[in-house]
Amino acid sequence: MSTNRGYWRLIKKNRAFTLIELMIVIAILALLMAIAIPNFIAYRHKAYCTQAESDADHIAAAIADYFGTGARTGLPAMSDLKIATLNHAEITGADPNVHITIQVTDRTHRCPLEYQNGTPG
């Protein structure tokens, strides 16, 4: 019977974590967070750029529809297109039959400049 009692003491004694083990786990978690958090922030900022690009695509489709549904020759205003965008949009062009420029500005100003400069169109 005494050997059984000693066995349980041995198990109870070894159940806790040591301070070194806890510090190693915290160090590993800190390292993983140091890698993951900047990547998450970069992906979130690129999502704002993607939203602006999506708004520009929707405006381009609405302009094509605007000119395709009648004999319209003038440059359309945003109110003529009947489209809602999350970002600020501006439509310009000297001759709308030749060239129209759609400029969409990210309303949050979180789209990275290196992404804006690297994306033509």
Side-chain angles (χ1 to χ4, degrees), residues 74-106:
L75 190 66
M78 284 298 293
S79 60
D80 296 335
L81 298 178
K82 297 177 182 151
I83 186 170
T85 61
L86 294 175
N87 299 303
H88 175 70
E90 185 178 323
I91 303 169
T92 57
D95 185 6
N97 297 320
V98 178
H99 183 77
I100 295 175
T101 303
I102 303 168
Q103 183 175 4
V104 179
T105 306
D106 175 34

Side-chain angles (χ1 to χ4, degrees), residues 26-46:
I26 290 172
I28 291 171
L29 290 175
L31 180 65
L32 290 174
M33 287 174 33
I35 294 169
I37 289 174
N39 286 337
F40 170 73
I41 292 171
Y43 290 136
R44 186 180 65 177
H45 287 180
K46 286 180 184 177

Side-chain angles (χ1 to χ4, degrees), residues 7-118:
Y7 174 74
W8 289 110
R9 279 189 198 153
L10 184 61
I11 289 178
K12 286 183 180 180
K13 185 178 180 184
N14 292 333
R15 288 182 102 177
F17 293 107
T18 64
L19 182 61
I20 297 293
E21 290 170 335
L22 292 175
M23 289 175 59
I24 289 173
V25 168
I26 290 172
I28 291 171
L29 290 175
L31 180 65
L32 290 174
M33 287 174 33
I35 294 169
I37 289 174
N39 286 337
F40 170 73
I41 292 171
Y43 290 136
R44 186 180 65 177
H45 287 180
K46 286 180 184 177
Y48 292 111
C49 300
T50 304
Q51 178 62 48
E53 291 172 354
S54 176
D55 284 348
D57 290 339
H58 289 118
I59 292 170
I63 289 173
D65 186 48
Y66 177 81
F67 283 114
T69 57
R72 297 182 175 144
T73 57
L75 190 66
M78 284 298 293
S79 60
D80 296 335
L81 298 178
K82 297 177 182 151
I83 186 170
T85 61
L86 294 175
N87 299 303
H88 175 70
E90 185 178 323
I91 303 169
T92 57
D95 185 6
N97 297 320
V98 178
H99 183 77
I100 295 175
T101 303
I102 303 168
Q103 183 175 4
V104 179
T105 306
D106 175 34
R107 66 180 163 79
T108 62
H109 305 291
R110 291 185 177 175
C111 184
L113 288 176
E114 59 270 5
Y115 187 85
Q116 293 176 21
N117 297 334

